Amino acid sequence: MQTLNVDLGDRSYPIFVGSGLIENTQLILPYVAGQQVMIVTNDTIAPLYLEKAKALFPGKQVDSVILPDGEAFKDLTHLNLIFDALLEKQHNRTTTLVALGGGVIGDMTGYAAASYQRGVDFIQIPTTLLSQVDSSVGGKTGVNHRLGKNMIGAFHQPKCVLIDIDSLTTLPDRELSAGIAEVIKYGLITDYEFLEWLETHMSSLLSRDQDALIYAVLTSCAAKADVVAQDEKEGGIRAILNLGHTYGHAIENHQGYGNWLHGEAVAAGMIMAADLSHRLGWISGADLKRTQSLIRAANLPVDAPKDMSVADFKALMAVDKKVVDGKLRLVLLKALGQAIISSDFGLEEFEASLHSFVH
Amino acid sequence: MQTLNVDLGDRSYPIFVGSGLIENTQLILPYVAGQQVMIVTNDTIAPLYLEKAKALFPGKQVDSVILPDGEAFKDLTHLNLIFDALLEKQHNRTTTLVALGGGVIGDMTGYAAASYQRGVDFIQIPTTLLSQVDSSVGGKTGVNHRLGKNMIGAFHQPKCVLIDIDSLTTLPDRELSAGIAEVIKYGLITDYEFLEWLETHMSSLLSRDQDALIYAVLTSCAAKADVVAQDEKEGGIRAILNLGHTYGHAIENHQGYGNWLHGEAVAAGMIMAADLSHRLGWISGADLKRTQSLIRAANLPVDAPKDMSVADFKALMAVDKKVVDGKLRLVLLKALGQAIISSDFGLEEFEASLHSFVH
């Protein structure tokens, strides 16, 4: 087992990464302050891991709530089911919520923990590659609104994160690839060497080689932790983590949440951001092709959905959080391994890039 | 105009108290960081003050959302109407929410601000005595759940608070008295001299004498600010502000939110806490009678609702936030002007006290 510490002052916490961790009761128990635990999971994960997760907390009052699986249910209505369970089981302010599942479960459980009685503890046990390398670091929690993704939420840090790499054995291929999209993102935004490693180890990741997965998860979490430690509340540099996300959110929003997986939309969005970066003369045509090849090697989309238009993208990107006082800001690539946040481009270049993907 | 500074480090903010403040555009504008303002109010307050409030922000994009008036609408469903308005009008992360109304509007607007895009600014313009002396200090925000009051929320401090004492001229008598309940509370928990002042100035307050109101509002806010500065997140001492609230929440919950005003329920609850304090030998029979006389002089209830039972109180108090690991903790009086948080009483004393109020 390896431990990565996320350094956020008095909100610092450890991420444990390894095999067989969900059967190790001594690891997690020191992070439970009170006598009550509420495990939040979904109907896909519950049959696989809920009983094991319950056994992690001997001697505690352990309750659970099982939500329907999917981004389509990441809303205030389903969030309220967590509050229902907490109140029906009389959980008090010393309770600990445990997120057992992917990014949707992590985001909803974290926001429920941030909001229940104005803030209680929570622990993450992410079971998908995407949630292991993304939502397990950074404290972003929340739910979607019909007019925008993640528009309602809070910053709330977990007490610890338990990443059991064995949980990836039950992950469908499509979701593994979606997770790799975020892994590639860390290479693109801050770590050129990791990008090179990914170019040579993609087949190991896709065949779920344990050592390759542990290395990719740890390197990704460390890259994210480094950015988040510099800028916890996303005043500046943290926004580079959103490479591909402004485009990606537009795709998810247009297609209906859950039809395109988040990682798939981000993959296409990263190509769109790389294309604009190339048009601005920041990265070469060869760099753009390398990026496309890597995304394609991970079995991820390099194109926008066929039924979207330039107008769709423009409308959906305008309500995104990256808009400050009316000016569109995007995360773009100055080079492979170096992202920047920029509004330093003309509308015509932005539109020309969109036109190369959609009608 | 007088200014009270609430000292919370980098979350410090001023409270302005005086007459005619809602017509003073220079006062509030420096606290609006961006170009967008969303005023949240209700259908009682909107016809009286919304146009004046809009005029406070010349040159800004000023939008508004009008909620139905009342505690019954303080829930996630109505909170979502605020998010609807923010997203429909494309408010970004630099927006400022303005709470124009009583405590319900303040709590909901504050929680919407805490949650919208994971946190934006907000300003309070409390228009009821209760909200001026209670929710304008302390940063507690939130909504109710059908199983408990204020169970979903966040700590989120405003950028400033504007208390225009003139808004009390339109306040119904019953709501003025409800506000006075919280004013009396500050005397009971920390300030014996203020309690004596209230005993001699109650008729001035009830007749809405401007000087008496300004003194009572400032003294109450200062008392609360002092407690909150010691304990922002309610780890300890801050809980004394809940004198009468555990009983009071049970009353509100049983009667249906809004049928008993919050201040009325707190008034009865303070008498119940004083009764238990007397049974424990901490305050004298004479002190209990003085407390009852003062509450009665403010036209507030000194008894629990006739249709509640001991079992009702016990059931409803058990899910309250004052329960830590199964043991009931209450705010009680060691003396007039000195509250403590205690679980140092027997169940039989607690029940005997309840039996003196209800069947």
Side-chain angles (χ1 to χ4, degrees), chain A residues 79-154:
Chain A
L79 183 78
N80 207 27
L81 298 177
I82 305 176
F83 299 131
D84 289 348
L86 287 164
L87 285 159
E88 279 159 12
K89 300 290 184 180
Q90 302 200 3
H91 281 239
N92 63 45
R93 283 182 156 183
T94 66
T95 189
T96 297
L97 273 61
V98 176
L100 176 69
V104 170
I105 288 293
D107 285 3
M108 292 180 76
T109 307
Y111 185 46
S115 301
Y116 186 60
Q117 302 205 15
R118 299 195 190 92
V120 298
D121 288 349
F122 87 114
I123 286 172
Q124 293 199 337
I125 307 179
T127 58
T128 66
L129 180 59
L130 178 69
S131 59
Q132 289 171 356
V133 300
D134 183 17
S135 46
S136 67
V137 184
K140 280 193 179 180
T141 71
V143 296
N144 299 327
H145 185 280
R146 70 182 158 81
L147 296 176
K149 202 170 141 67
N150 293 320
M151 282 291 155
I152 304 163

Side-chain angles (χ1 to χ4, degrees), chain B residues 31-224:
Chain B
Y31 297 89
V32 178
Q35 294 306 312
Q36 298 176 307
V37 171
M38 176 64 73
I39 301 174
V40 182
T41 189
N42 66 39
D43 50 14
T44 302
I45 295 299
L48 298 169
Y49 299 112
L50 181 54
E51 288 311 310
K52 282 184 180 178
K54 282 183 176 174
L56 283 172
F57 308 100
K60 305 286 182 185
Q61 173 192 336
V62 183
D63 297 305
S64 61
V65 52
I66 300 173
L67 303 177
D69 184 13
E71 183 91 24
F73 307 107
K74 185 180 168 182
D75 57 22
L76 283 179
T77 303
H78 290 83
L79 183 77
N80 207 25
L81 298 177
I82 305 177
F83 298 132
D84 288 349
L86 287 164
L87 285 159
E88 279 159 12
K89 299 291 185 180
Q90 303 202 359
H91 281 240
N92 62 46
R93 284 180 155 185
T94 65
T95 190
T96 297
L97 273 63
V98 176
L100 176 70
V104 170
I105 288 294
D107 285 3
M108 293 180 75
T109 307
Y111 185 44
S115 301
Y116 186 61
Q117 304 206 13
R118 301 196 189 90
V120 298
D121 288 350
F122 86 113
I123 287 172
Q124 292 199 337
I125 307 179
T127 58
T128 66
L129 180 59
L130 179 68
S131 59
Q132 289 170 356
V133 300
D134 183 16
S135 47
S136 67
V137 184
K140 279 193 180 179
T141 71
V143 296
N144 299 327
H145 184 280
R146 70 186 157 79
L147 295 176
K149 202 170 141 65
N150 292 321
M151 283 290 155
I152 305 163
F155 286 95
H156 194 57
Q157 305 294 344
K159 291 293 152 183
C160 74
V161 179
L162 197 78
I163 299 182
D164 190 336
I165 221 78
D166 300 351
S167 65
L168 301 182
T169 57
T170 52
L171 193 68
D173 286 344
R174 191 178 160 196
E175 288 196 41
L176 183 73
S177 288
I180 293 174
E182 295 278 351
V183 172
I184 292 170
K185 184 191 76 179
Y186 295 110
L188 285 171
I189 63 174
T190 63
D191 193 341
Y192 182 74
E193 279 180 36
F194 185 44
L195 199 71
E196 286 185 308
W197 183 91
L198 287 168
E199 289 179 318
T200 53
H201 291 80
M202 189 53 73
S203 60
S204 305
L205 288 178
L206 291 173
S207 64
R208 305 180 196 225
D209 174 86
Q210 203 172 71
D211 290 340
L213 285 170
I214 289 177
Y215 179 78
V217 168
L218 270 172
T219 307
S220 297
C221 287
K224 181 161 185 184

Side-chain angles (χ1 to χ4, degrees), chain B residues 247-300:
Chain B
Y247 294 99
H249 287 171
I251 294 173
E252 285 182 277
N253 205 327
H254 183 273
Q255 301 289 303
Y257 294 132
N259 292 318
W260 272 53
L261 296 179
H262 176 68
E264 292 168 345
V266 166
M270 291 194 294
I271 297 296
M272 297 175 83
D275 181 82
L276 179 54
S277 306
H278 172 55
R279 284 168 193 272
L280 295 168
W282 297 349
I283 66 170
S284 68
D287 285 343
L288 176 58
K289 284 213 169 66
R290 267 179 79 181
T291 308
Q292 289 168 324
S293 298
L294 185 58
I295 299 273
R296 208 177 270 122
N299 301 323
L300 287 162

